[in-house]
Amino acid sequence: MLVLVAPGQGAQTPGFLTPWLELPGAADRLAAWSDAIGLDLVHYGTKADADEIRDTAVAQPLLVAAGLLSAAALGDVTPGAVAGHSVGEFTAAALAGVLDDTAALRLVRTRGLAMADAAAIAPTGMSALLGGDPEVTVPHLEKLGLTPANVNGAGQIVAAGTLEQLAALEADKPEGVRRVVALKVAGAFHTHHMAPAVATLEAAAKELSPADPTVPYVSNKDGRTVAGGAEVLARLVGQVANPVRWDLCMETFQALGATALVEVCPGGTLTGIAKRALPGVATVALKTPDDLDAARTLVAEHTAV
């Protein structure tokens, strides 16, 4: 059984969309999406530098556009399940037919702007912890006032909070943690610091008419599959201020009988976690169009006829 997954913020790199725009129709599609959301996705995906695409308001729609563009290039695929990490959930919702591509991009553009505004209220950030046992790490983070914002599985946890709290973490690491690495993000995503963004998204979501997913949609909130479009949309709104439980998503992939996982562009992060947490599951990451043939082969081998 094939799982199609979409990465989250931080996966973008300067110029990463350049080779994708050489595919037939890709440049026109990206230009149309740019017009629809008032953001030059072509520029940001091909010419912008690292600082420009680090901007939350830019990075989020850029990542969703990249995921949708690469999934379309993959061809007509019916996966056994879809999921996305953080903002990647918007890509997954579009791939599952809950929202059309333009609606997903407009909503994620609103999300990015709202989260950037929320992040500007106070100096906050996120740090990845390398090593350690979650049963020891999580209580230690909570003691410091930090939130385990991403619980990714394979021993990977990302803490979020104020810069002062993150500095305290650097000075007082949980037992077993080798390093604390500051992430290149502009705020404490998936924590209470993002509460103002939730209200903005709630208002925007009221204008949408979501459809029920056409394939099983696995939610970051608790790793459960969600059958109703309205609930998927409500979870997309709420997850801005709630932790990402990618570890539980992977447990669901296993329970569903996953044998293969393809990560849409800019792939690499989630396949890396899967190689450690889902032994025996074949993976392909779509980084450039050169990866499409390998992905198509994997799809053919692991998609039920």
Side-chain angles (χ1 to χ4, degrees), residues 1-5 77-83 95-96 213-218 225-226 252-262 298-299 302-304:
M1 188 272 278
L2 171 73
V3 181
L4 198 58
V5 300
V77 176
T78 303
V82 297
L95 295 175
T214 56
V215 296
Y217 174 95
V218 183
T225 57
V226 181
T252 297
F253 300 162
Q254 283 185 309
L256 291 172
T259 56
L261 180 146
V262 172
L298 196 68
V299 168
H302 295 269
T303 302

Short mmCIF file of all heavy atoms in Angstrom, two decimals, residues 1-5 77-83 95-96 213-218 225-226 252-262 298-299 302-304:
data_model
loop_
_atom_site.label_atom_id
_atom_site.label_comp_id
_atom_site.label_asym_id
_atom_site.label_seq_id
_atom_site.Cartn_x
_atom_site.Cartn_y
_atom_site.Cartn_z
N MET A 1 0.84 -1.20 0.00
CA MET A 1 0.00 0.00 0.00
C MET A 1 0.88 1.25 0.00
O MET A 1 1.84 1.34 0.76
CB MET A 1 -0.92 -0.01 1.23
CG MET A 1 -1.97 1.10 1.24
SD MET A 1 -1.41 2.65 1.98
CE MET A 1 -1.65 2.32 3.72
N LEU A 2 0.54 2.20 -0.85
CA LEU A 2 1.32 3.43 -1.02
C LEU A 2 0.77 4.57 -0.18
O LEU A 2 -0.43 4.83 -0.16
CB LEU A 2 1.29 3.85 -2.49
CG LEU A 2 1.88 5.22 -2.83
CD1 LEU A 2 3.41 5.17 -2.73
CD2 LEU A 2 1.44 5.67 -4.21
N VAL A 3 1.67 5.29 0.50
CA VAL A 3 1.33 6.52 1.21
C VAL A 3 2.02 7.67 0.50
O VAL A 3 3.21 7.61 0.19
CB VAL A 3 1.79 6.48 2.69
CG1 VAL A 3 1.41 7.77 3.39
CG2 VAL A 3 1.19 5.29 3.41
N LEU A 4 1.26 8.73 0.23
CA LEU A 4 1.80 9.94 -0.40
C LEU A 4 1.87 11.02 0.68
O LEU A 4 0.85 11.33 1.31
CB LEU A 4 0.89 10.37 -1.54
CG LEU A 4 1.43 11.32 -2.61
CD1 LEU A 4 2.65 10.74 -3.30
CD2 LEU A 4 0.35 11.63 -3.64
N VAL A 5 3.05 11.57 0.91
CA VAL A 5 3.22 12.53 2.00
C VAL A 5 3.84 13.83 1.48
O VAL A 5 4.52 13.86 0.45
CB VAL A 5 4.09 11.95 3.14
CG1 VAL A 5 3.44 10.71 3.73
CG2 VAL A 5 5.51 11.65 2.67
N VAL A 77 -2.32 9.07 -9.74
CA VAL A 77 -1.97 8.16 -8.65
C VAL A 77 -3.11 8.13 -7.64
O VAL A 77 -3.63 9.18 -7.25
CB VAL A 77 -0.67 8.62 -7.94
CG1 VAL A 77 -0.36 7.71 -6.75
CG2 VAL A 77 0.48 8.64 -8.92
N THR A 78 -3.50 6.93 -7.21
CA THR A 78 -4.49 6.80 -6.14
C THR A 78 -3.81 6.10 -4.96
O THR A 78 -3.73 4.87 -4.91
CB THR A 78 -5.72 5.98 -6.59
OG1 THR A 78 -6.29 6.59 -7.74
CG2 THR A 78 -6.76 5.93 -5.48
N PRO A 79 -3.28 6.87 -4.02
CA PRO A 79 -2.57 6.27 -2.89
C PRO A 79 -3.54 5.61 -1.91
O PRO A 79 -4.75 5.88 -1.92
CB PRO A 79 -1.87 7.46 -2.25
CG PRO A 79 -2.73 8.63 -2.60
CD PRO A 79 -3.31 8.33 -3.95
N GLY A 80 -2.98 4.78 -1.05
CA GLY A 80 -3.79 4.16 0.00
C GLY A 80 -4.06 5.12 1.13
O GLY A 80 -5.00 4.93 1.92
N ALA A 81 -3.25 6.18 1.23
CA ALA A 81 -3.44 7.23 2.25
C ALA A 81 -2.59 8.42 1.88
O ALA A 81 -1.59 8.30 1.15
CB ALA A 81 -3.07 6.72 3.64
N VAL A 82 -2.99 9.60 2.38
CA VAL A 82 -2.19 10.81 2.22
C VAL A 82 -2.02 11.47 3.58
O VAL A 82 -2.86 11.33 4.48
CB VAL A 82 -2.83 11.83 1.24
CG1 VAL A 82 -2.92 11.25 -0.15
CG2 VAL A 82 -4.20 12.28 1.74
N ALA A 83 -0.92 12.20 3.72
CA ALA A 83 -0.66 12.96 4.95
C ALA A 83 0.37 14.02 4.65
O ALA A 83 1.14 13.90 3.69
CB ALA A 83 -0.17 12.04 6.08
N LEU A 95 -4.60 16.99 -2.35
CA LEU A 95 -4.40 15.71 -3.02
C LEU A 95 -5.55 14.74 -2.74
O LEU A 95 -5.87 13.89 -3.57
CB LEU A 95 -3.07 15.08 -2.59
CG LEU A 95 -1.81 15.86 -2.99
CD1 LEU A 95 -0.57 15.20 -2.41
CD2 LEU A 95 -1.69 15.95 -4.51
N ALA A 96 -6.18 14.89 -1.57
CA ALA A 96 -7.31 14.04 -1.21
C ALA A 96 -8.64 14.58 -1.72
O ALA A 96 -9.69 13.98 -1.48
CB ALA A 96 -7.38 13.88 0.31
N PRO A 213 -12.74 13.53 1.87
CA PRO A 213 -11.54 12.99 1.22
C PRO A 213 -11.88 11.79 0.34
O PRO A 213 -12.70 10.94 0.72
CB PRO A 213 -10.65 12.56 2.39
CG PRO A 213 -11.17 13.30 3.58
CD PRO A 213 -12.63 13.51 3.35
N THR A 214 -11.23 11.71 -0.81
CA THR A 214 -11.43 10.57 -1.71
C THR A 214 -10.54 9.40 -1.37
O THR A 214 -10.74 8.29 -1.86
CB THR A 214 -11.17 10.99 -3.17
OG1 THR A 214 -9.84 11.54 -3.25
CG2 THR A 214 -12.17 12.05 -3.62
N VAL A 215 -9.52 9.66 -0.55
CA VAL A 215 -8.63 8.60 -0.02
C VAL A 215 -8.43 8.88 1.46
O VAL A 215 -8.67 10.00 1.92
CB VAL A 215 -7.27 8.59 -0.75
CG1 VAL A 215 -7.44 8.24 -2.23
CG2 VAL A 215 -6.54 9.92 -0.60
N PRO A 216 -8.01 7.88 2.25
CA PRO A 216 -7.81 8.11 3.68
C PRO A 216 -6.82 9.26 3.95
O PRO A 216 -5.72 9.28 3.39
CB PRO A 216 -7.25 6.77 4.18
CG PRO A 216 -7.83 5.76 3.24
CD PRO A 216 -7.86 6.44 1.91
N TYR A 217 -7.27 10.21 4.76
CA TYR A 217 -6.47 11.38 5.11
C TYR A 217 -6.03 11.22 6.57
O TYR A 217 -6.87 11.09 7.46
CB TYR A 217 -7.32 12.64 4.93
CG TYR A 217 -6.67 13.92 5.40
CD1 TYR A 217 -5.98 14.74 4.51
CD2 TYR A 217 -6.76 14.32 6.74
CE1 TYR A 217 -5.40 15.93 4.94
CE2 TYR A 217 -6.18 15.50 7.18
CZ TYR A 217 -5.49 16.29 6.28
OH TYR A 217 -4.91 17.47 6.72
N VAL A 218 -4.73 11.21 6.80
CA VAL A 218 -4.18 10.98 8.14
C VAL A 218 -3.79 12.32 8.75
O VAL A 218 -2.98 13.06 8.20
CB VAL A 218 -2.98 10.02 8.09
CG1 VAL A 218 -2.47 9.74 9.51
CG2 VAL A 218 -3.35 8.72 7.39
N THR A 225 -7.24 8.70 10.85
CA THR A 225 -7.80 9.02 9.54
C THR A 225 -9.09 9.80 9.74
O THR A 225 -9.86 9.52 10.67
CB THR A 225 -8.07 7.75 8.72
OG1 THR A 225 -8.95 6.89 9.45
CG2 THR A 225 -6.78 7.00 8.42
N VAL A 226 -9.31 10.78 8.87
CA VAL A 226 -10.47 11.65 8.97
C VAL A 226 -11.31 11.49 7.71
O VAL A 226 -10.81 11.69 6.60
CB VAL A 226 -10.05 13.13 9.14
CG1 VAL A 226 -11.27 14.02 9.28
CG2 VAL A 226 -9.14 13.28 10.36
N THR A 252 -0.11 4.99 12.15
CA THR A 252 -1.30 4.72 11.33
C THR A 252 -0.91 4.16 9.97
O THR A 252 -1.57 3.24 9.45
CB THR A 252 -2.14 6.00 11.17
OG1 THR A 252 -2.59 6.41 12.46
CG2 THR A 252 -3.34 5.77 10.26
N PHE A 253 0.16 4.68 9.38
CA PHE A 253 0.63 4.11 8.10
C PHE A 253 0.89 2.61 8.27
O PHE A 253 0.50 1.81 7.41
CB PHE A 253 1.93 4.78 7.64
CG PHE A 253 1.86 6.27 7.41
CD1 PHE A 253 3.02 7.03 7.35
CD2 PHE A 253 0.64 6.92 7.25
CE1 PHE A 253 2.98 8.39 7.14
CE2 PHE A 253 0.58 8.30 7.04
CZ PHE A 253 1.76 9.03 7.00
N GLN A 254 1.55 2.26 9.35
CA GLN A 254 1.84 0.85 9.61
C GLN A 254 0.55 0.05 9.77
O GLN A 254 0.40 -1.05 9.21
CB GLN A 254 2.69 0.71 10.87
CG GLN A 254 4.15 1.06 10.67
CD GLN A 254 4.98 0.79 11.90
OE1 GLN A 254 4.64 1.21 13.01
NE2 GLN A 254 6.08 0.06 11.73
N ALA A 255 -0.39 0.59 10.53
CA ALA A 255 -1.65 -0.11 10.78
C ALA A 255 -2.45 -0.31 9.50
O ALA A 255 -3.17 -1.30 9.34
CB ALA A 255 -2.49 0.66 11.80
N LEU A 256 -2.31 0.64 8.56
CA LEU A 256 -3.02 0.54 7.29
C LEU A 256 -2.33 -0.41 6.32
O LEU A 256 -2.88 -0.72 5.25
CB LEU A 256 -3.12 1.93 6.64
CG LEU A 256 -4.04 2.95 7.34
CD1 LEU A 256 -3.89 4.32 6.69
CD2 LEU A 256 -5.49 2.50 7.28
N GLY A 257 -1.13 -0.85 6.68
CA GLY A 257 -0.41 -1.79 5.83
C GLY A 257 0.49 -1.15 4.80
O GLY A 257 0.70 -1.70 3.71
N ALA A 258 1.05 0.01 5.11
CA ALA A 258 1.92 0.72 4.16
C ALA A 258 3.14 -0.12 3.79
O ALA A 258 3.80 -0.70 4.66
CB ALA A 258 2.37 2.05 4.74
N THR A 259 3.42 -0.18 2.51
CA THR A 259 4.62 -0.86 2.01
C THR A 259 5.55 0.10 1.27
O THR A 259 6.69 -0.22 1.00
CB THR A 259 4.24 -2.01 1.06
OG1 THR A 259 3.42 -1.48 0.01
CG2 THR A 259 3.48 -3.10 1.82
N ALA A 260 5.02 1.29 0.90
CA ALA A 260 5.82 2.27 0.18
C ALA A 260 5.38 3.67 0.55
O ALA A 260 4.20 3.90 0.87
CB ALA A 260 5.70 2.06 -1.33
N LEU A 261 6.32 4.62 0.48
CA LEU A 261 6.03 6.01 0.80
C LEU A 261 6.74 6.90 -0.22
O LEU A 261 7.95 6.76 -0.44
CB LEU A 261 6.51 6.32 2.22
CG LEU A 261 6.30 7.73 2.78
CD1 LEU A 261 6.02 7.68 4.29
CD2 LEU A 261 7.54 8.61 2.53
N VAL A 262 5.98 7.80 -0.85
CA VAL A 262 6.55 8.79 -1.77
C VAL A 262 6.33 10.17 -1.17
O VAL A 262 5.20 10.52 -0.79
CB VAL A 262 5.90 8.71 -3.17
CG1 VAL A 262 6.36 9.89 -4.04
CG2 VAL A 262 6.25 7.39 -3.84
N LEU A 298 7.84 2.83 -8.15
CA LEU A 298 7.39 2.46 -6.81
C LEU A 298 5.87 2.48 -6.73
O LEU A 298 5.26 1.58 -6.15
CB LEU A 298 7.98 3.43 -5.78
CG LEU A 298 7.94 2.98 -4.31
CD1 LEU A 298 8.87 1.80 -4.11
CD2 LEU A 298 8.34 4.13 -3.39
N VAL A 299 5.26 3.49 -7.33
CA VAL A 299 3.80 3.59 -7.34
C VAL A 299 3.18 2.36 -8.02
O VAL A 299 2.24 1.75 -7.51
CB VAL A 299 3.35 4.89 -8.06
CG1 VAL A 299 1.85 4.86 -8.34
CG2 VAL A 299 3.68 6.11 -7.22
N HIS A 302 3.35 -0.76 -5.82
CA HIS A 302 2.69 -0.76 -4.51
C HIS A 302 1.29 -0.20 -4.52
O HIS A 302 0.71 0.03 -3.44
CB HIS A 302 3.55 0.00 -3.51
CG HIS A 302 4.88 -0.63 -3.23
ND1 HIS A 302 5.07 -1.52 -2.20
CD2 HIS A 302 6.07 -0.52 -3.88
CE1 HIS A 302 6.34 -1.92 -2.19
NE2 HIS A 302 6.97 -1.33 -3.20
N THR A 303 0.72 0.02 -5.68
CA THR A 303 -0.65 0.48 -5.77
C THR A 303 -1.52 -0.66 -6.25
O THR A 303 -1.24 -1.29 -7.27
CB THR A 303 -0.79 1.66 -6.75
OG1 THR A 303 0.06 2.72 -6.32
CG2 THR A 303 -2.23 2.18 -6.79
N ALA A 304 -2.59 -0.95 -5.50
CA ALA A 304 -3.48 -2.05 -5.86
C ALA A 304 -4.20 -1.76 -7.16
O ALA A 304 -4.64 -0.63 -7.39
CB ALA A 304 -4.49 -2.30 -4.75
#
